[in-house]
Amino acid sequence: MVAEQPGGTPSVPGTGHVDDVVGPDPLVIRDAATGAAVPDAFQRLWNPHRMAYIDAGREGKGRGHEDDCPFCEAPRKSDEDALIVTRGEHAYVLLNLFPYNNGHLLVCPYRHVPLYDEATPDETREMAELTQTAMRVLRAVSHCDGFNIGMNQGEIAGAGVAGHLHQHVVPRWASDSNFFPIIARTKSMSQLLGDTRRLVAEGWPTAH
């Protein structure tokens, strides 16, 4: 409800003044404590399964501790269950559970280390080699046009699991940035994760 304040300035409880309110249903945002019906400019795609990923990043779960870290836990599972594509000596490759694009891979050391400059020479070497191979395999099996490759270092820089180093390898296509993620804040994924894992794993070169 919009209330009239002295001087004629409309305001909304919990948010302060709202100027230039027009029409009977202005788009305003209120504190959750002031009411249940809070319209705004966004539509929502409910993804409750993401809570598992959010919980893994809370204190004591993946940030500074090995306990419950998803990248420490993954190698203990089967490749199929953990979405692992390949295992090396010091690092391994798995699919991102919440991909930006089909084939979005993560290259991780086995050791629970948070920052790139804390990785050993053997870990950085193998991560680089696995990243190069990932690019070649993705190009062969998915015919992508380019890649986004990078690391978010630390929670403040956007690392979802800040306690365990991981490098993103995201295949890109000329047509993958359409109106859907821009207007609807939604990514359309055309392939199931299990099928993507199998396709990439089968295309991965075997050691001789």
Side-chain angles (χ1 to χ4, degrees), residues 78-131:
S78 69
D79 288 356
E80 290 76 13
D81 289 343
L83 298 175
I84 291 176
V85 171
T86 190
R87 300 174 189 248
E89 183 179 356
H90 305 283
Y92 69 101
V93 181
L94 76 167
L95 260 67
N96 189 349
L97 188 59
F98 306 105
Y100 179 83
N101 268 344
N102 291 312
H104 182 166
L105 299 177
L106 302 173
V107 183
C108 307
Y110 293 112
R111 193 166 62 96
H112 188 81
V113 56
L115 300 174
Y116 188 62
D117 60 350
E118 296 179 11
T120 67
D122 285 336
E123 288 169 338
T124 56
R125 172 189 53 77
E126 190 164 47
M127 288 181 67
E129 292 173 352
L130 290 172
T131 298

